[in-house]
């Protein structure tokens, strides 16, 4: 579907389509036209023009997400295009803005915001080469260090050292880019480009390194903290983190798997958990919390009751919650505010059906995203599920992979889902009748692909036809067997793979050593 363009945007496209002409004539362009030229250049992937626009940026701020977002001149949102050509040109232009010759008092740029860029699975840019969050972290750190070296070795205009531009970015640090990022953060005060970390993600990083780099980021500015894969953060480390560092603006917190394990709890551990809850209560902006694959049986209240701000997003998937935990959630002040909820890995129909539906009912006026993967939802539960979901008229996303549902049950469910007005995305399981008889749930990785693929394709077509007949072409329905797309994992999968092989090798070596000692 073509998006309407204003005459001004069409003119901007015409101007930037000839890169050589545009670059030569930028000096005579009115300052208020730079934003529309930036978006037009981005749409046409005119890297050289983007570079020159940024190098000569005449305004006080350059917010990439806003510049690429929906606008009066061109409504299409381009902020999900992480086009490598465009983003690299933008960052190189920023470096050259610092080094270019016009007298510094003419330079007004104070803030560059890179946080509005969204990493998505399907890229619509022509070059199809993306620059993800990890690569943006890497390139900005590299440019800051190169800039410092250049300024030290070259006779520069003294005014250049007075330039100070805050570059807001979502940092993504792993073992492979750790040294570079640390060096850039350590020398931040000397560099005209100041890295300002608004969100921080860490994967594949030793705990000691994580603690060191997080302190360098200026945690007082941090709004989002994600500690995800292969960072061995356990409860005692989390307590140390919260006791030693304050996160006054933190809105979103993701903790790695197995941060908590109440099965091993001592009296001292109970005290530690209470302290962590109180520290989270001091984070008055905190509205998003993800702590999947921890064992939290019977402790949800202790952890969440100190929070003074209601949670809008809660992920407690595979956390072994019991009836008391679910009752606390359903009756807490959080229930009325939950926009996103993930309760995957809990046997909801058998353990606490009525209290779950109470929680659903309380959050129904605001709930946008619901994930119930591997919850043992069977054909006999579908009518009950439909009744529970019926008040959730704002639901945009429903994910229920890994549940033992037949084709017929899925068709009944899809007929209902097609009536939810805001729904945009559905992730449904491969029907049970596509698998061999006797398959057990949850299905292990070895048997995940043992289904009848032709039969699945037929059923998927029928489900899409239900949506089509209800005029719901806007709903995307799929069965991603290995779960939803994660841009960060996709970008660093080589490092993740190398880490897993190394861990496996170390485990084998320890096992062999133990065997030799026994012999």
């Amino acid at each position: 579907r073509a998006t309407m363009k204003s005459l001004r945007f069409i003119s901007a496209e015409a101007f930037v389509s000839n890169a050589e002409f545009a670059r030569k004539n930028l000096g005579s362009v009115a300052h208020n036209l730079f934003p529309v030229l930036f978006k037009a250049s981005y749409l046409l992937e005119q890297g050289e023009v983007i570079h020159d626009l940024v190098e000569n940026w005449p305004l006080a701020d350059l917010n990439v997400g806003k510049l690429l977002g929906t606008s009066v001149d061109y409504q299409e949102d381009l902020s999900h295009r992480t086009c490598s050509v465009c983003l690299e040109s933008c960052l190189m232009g920023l470096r050259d803005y610092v080094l270019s010759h016009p007298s510094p008092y003419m330079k007004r740029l104070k803030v560059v915001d890179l946080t509005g860029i969204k990493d998505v699975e399907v890229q619509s840019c022509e070059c199809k080469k993306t620059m993800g969050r990890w690569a943006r972290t890497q390139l900005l750190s590299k440019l800051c260090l190169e800039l410092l070296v250049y300024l030290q070795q070259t006779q520069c205009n003294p005014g250049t050292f007075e330039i100070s531009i805050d570059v807001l970015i979502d940092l993504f640090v792993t073992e492979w880019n750790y040294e570079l990022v640390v060096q850039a953060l350590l020398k931040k005060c000397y560099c005209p480009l100041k890295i300002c970390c608004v969100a921080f993600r860490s994967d594949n990083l030793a705990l000691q390194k994580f603690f060191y780099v997080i302190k360098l980021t200026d945690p007082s500015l941090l709004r989002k903290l994600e500690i995800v894969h292969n960072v061995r953060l356990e409860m005692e480390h989390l307590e140390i983190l919260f006791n030693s560092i304050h996160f006054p603006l933190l809105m979103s917190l993701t903790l790695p798997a197995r941060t908590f394990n109440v099965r091993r709890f001592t009296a001292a551990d109970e005290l530690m958990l209470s302290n962590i809850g109180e520290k989270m209560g001091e984070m008055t902006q905190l509205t998003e919390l993800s702590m999947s694959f921890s064992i939290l049986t019977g402790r949800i209240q202790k952890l969440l009751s100190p929070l003074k701000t209601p949670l809008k997003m809660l992920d407690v998937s595979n956390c072994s919650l019991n009836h008391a935990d679910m009752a606390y959630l359903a009756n807490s002040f959080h229930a009325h505010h939950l926009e996103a909820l993930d309760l995957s890995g809990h046997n909801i129909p058998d353990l606490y059906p009525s209290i779950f539906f109470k929680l659903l009912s309380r959050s129904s006026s605001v709930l946008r995203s619901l994930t119930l993967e591997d919850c043992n939802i069977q054909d006999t539960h579908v009518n009950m599920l439909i009744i529970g979901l019926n008040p959730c008229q704002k639901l945009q996303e429903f994910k229920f992979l890994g549940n033992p549902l037949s084709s017929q049950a899925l068709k009944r469910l899809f007929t209902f889902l097609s009536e939810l007005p805001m729904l945009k995305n559905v992730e449904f399981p491969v029907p049970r009748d596509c698998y061999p008889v006797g398959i057990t749930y949850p299905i292990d990785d070895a048997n995940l692909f043992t289904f009848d693929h032709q039969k699945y394709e037929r059923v998927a077509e029928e489900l899409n036809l239900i949506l089509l007949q209800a005029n719901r072409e806007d709903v995307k329905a799929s069965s991603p067997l290995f779960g939803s797309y994660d841009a960060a994992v996709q970008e660093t999968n080589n490092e993740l793979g190398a880490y897993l092989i190394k861990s496996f090798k170390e485990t084998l070596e320890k096992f062999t050593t133990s065997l030799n000692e026994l012999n």
Side-chain angles (χ1 to χ4, degrees), residues 51-122:
H51 172 281
D52 286 15
L53 282 166
V54 176
E55 186 184 2
N56 297 284
W57 199 256
L59 309 170
D61 73 299
L62 195 161
N63 186 324
V64 176
K66 261 190 190 160
L67 290 169
L68 299 180
T70 184
S71 63
V72 179
D73 290 305
Y74 183 48
Q75 287 192 337
E76 190 176 340
D77 186 351
L78 303 180
S79 62
H80 55 268
R81 288 196 187 189
T82 54
C83 172
S84 184
V85 169
C86 297
L87 289 173
E88 189 169 338
S89 300
C90 180
L91 287 171
M92 295 295 195
L94 187 58
R95 176 201 63 190
D96 294 340
Y97 175 94
V98 174
L99 298 174
S100 60
H101 291 300
S103 57
Y105 65 83
M106 284 172 64
K107 296 191 175 183
R108 296 178 56 205
L109 188 59
K110 290 282 171 253
V111 180
V112 173
D113 192 338
L114 302 172
T115 61
I117 301 163
K118 305 176 193 86
D119 296 291
V120 294
E121 186 170 3
V122 180

Side-chain angles (χ1 to χ4, degrees), residues 51-333:
H51 172 281
D52 286 15
L53 282 166
V54 176
E55 186 184 2
N56 297 284
W57 199 256
L59 309 170
D61 73 299
L62 195 161
N63 186 324
V64 176
K66 261 190 190 160
L67 290 169
L68 299 180
T70 184
S71 63
V72 179
D73 290 305
Y74 183 48
Q75 287 192 337
E76 190 176 340
D77 186 351
L78 303 180
S79 62
H80 55 268
R81 288 196 187 189
T82 54
C83 172
S84 184
V85 169
C86 297
L87 289 173
E88 189 169 338
S89 300
C90 180
L91 287 171
M92 295 295 195
L94 187 58
R95 176 201 63 190
D96 294 340
Y97 175 94
V98 174
L99 298 174
S100 60
H101 291 300
S103 57
Y105 65 83
M106 284 172 64
K107 296 191 175 183
R108 296 178 56 205
L109 188 59
K110 290 282 171 253
V111 180
V112 173
D113 192 338
L114 302 172
T115 61
I117 301 163
K118 305 176 193 86
D119 296 291
V120 294
E121 186 170 3
V122 180
Q123 280 300 317
S124 46
C125 64
E126 290 291 317
C127 75
K128 297 287 184 243
K129 286 183 189 159
T130 63
M131 181 182 281
R133 182 174 168 183
W134 189 91
R136 296 194 293 273
T137 300
Q138 170 94 348
L139 182 59
L140 180 62
S141 303
K142 186 166 164 277
L143 290 178
C144 287
L145 291 171
E146 283 176 2
L147 200 52
L148 276 174
V149 170
Y150 184 83
L151 293 175
Q152 283 163 358
Q153 292 176 349
T154 317
Q155 194 67 45
C156 289
N157 182 329
T160 304
F161 292 95
E162 287 164 32
I163 295 171
S164 179
I165 301 166
D166 288 339
V167 185
L168 278 54
I169 186 169
D170 299 338
L171 290 181
F172 181 13
V173 180
T174 67
E175 191 70 50
W176 286 8
N177 69 354
Y178 170 80
E179 290 296 340
L180 193 69
V181 176
V182 163
Q183 287 307 311
L185 290 172
L186 279 170
K187 293 170 182 169
K188 173 181 166 176
C189 57
Y190 307 109
C191 186
L193 299 179
K194 314 284 183 197
I195 295 176
C196 296
C197 178
V198 177
F200 183 91
R201 173 164 175 150
S202 177
D203 284 12
N204 306 320
L205 199 61
L207 208 51
Q208 199 177 353
K209 290 180 175 179
F210 164 73
F211 269 88
Y212 185 63
V213 72
I214 197 73
K215 284 178 181 173
L216 293 178
T217 61
D218 190 356
S220 66
L221 298 174
L222 214 56
R223 294 182 181 274
K224 187 171 187 174
L225 175 60
E226 297 169 281
I227 312 161
V228 193
H229 301 290
N230 304 321
V231 182
R232 291 178 180 165
L233 184 93
E234 293 183 10
M235 188 171 66
E236 56 268 33
H237 310 126
L238 186 62
E239 188 186 33
I240 293 165
L241 181 70
F242 286 168
N243 282 340
S244 59
I245 300 175
H246 293 287
F247 299 97
L249 298 181
L250 198 68
M251 299 165 75
S252 179
L253 174 65
T254 298
L255 298 172
R258 294 181 289 282
T259 300
F260 304 99
N261 183 358
V262 304
R263 286 178 191 155
R264 303 194 309 245
F265 264 27
T266 61
D269 290 330
E270 295 289 357
L271 204 62
M272 200 184 290
L273 190 72
S274 298
N275 184 31
I276 288 168
E278 283 166 21
K279 288 292 178 189
M280 290 202 306
E282 290 170 15
M283 298 171 192
T284 54
Q285 308 286 314
L286 190 67
T287 56
E288 297 181 358
L289 183 60
S290 175
M291 39 191 185
S292 57
F293 289 94
S294 275
I295 299 171
L296 283 164
T297 317
R299 306 305 196 288
I300 283 289
Q301 183 167 0
K302 185 175 271 191
L303 206 51
L304 300 188
S305 60
L307 299 187
K308 295 169 186 69
T309 311
L311 290 172
K312 290 181 181 176
M313 189 284 272
L314 179 63
D315 178 354
V316 280
S317 54
N318 301 284
C319 283
S320 306
L321 302 189
N322 62 15
H323 192 277
D325 295 317
M326 196 59 80
Y328 167 73
L329 286 177
N331 294 310
S332 72
F333 78 130

Side-chain angles (χ1 to χ4, degrees), residues 330-355:
N331 294 310
S332 72
F333 78 130
H334 302 293
H336 295 283
H337 299 269
L338 285 172
E339 294 175 16
L341 178 63
D342 190 340
L343 290 168
S344 299
H346 293 99
N347 190 340
I348 288 169
D350 288 351
L351 294 177
Y352 23 63
S354 58
I355 205 79

Side-chain angles (χ1 to χ4, degrees), residues 36 52 277 284 408 417 420 444 479 494:
V36 73
D52 286 15
T284 54
Q408 288 308 115
L417 292 174
L420 290 176
D444 57 33
S479 306
N494 287 345

Side-chain angles (χ1 to χ4, degrees), residues 462-474:
E462 288 169 20
L463 295 175
N464 274 304
L465 190 62
I466 290 169
L467 296 173
L468 211 61
Q469 287 169 341
N471 293 320
R472 294 306 304 273
E473 297 96 331
D474 57 324

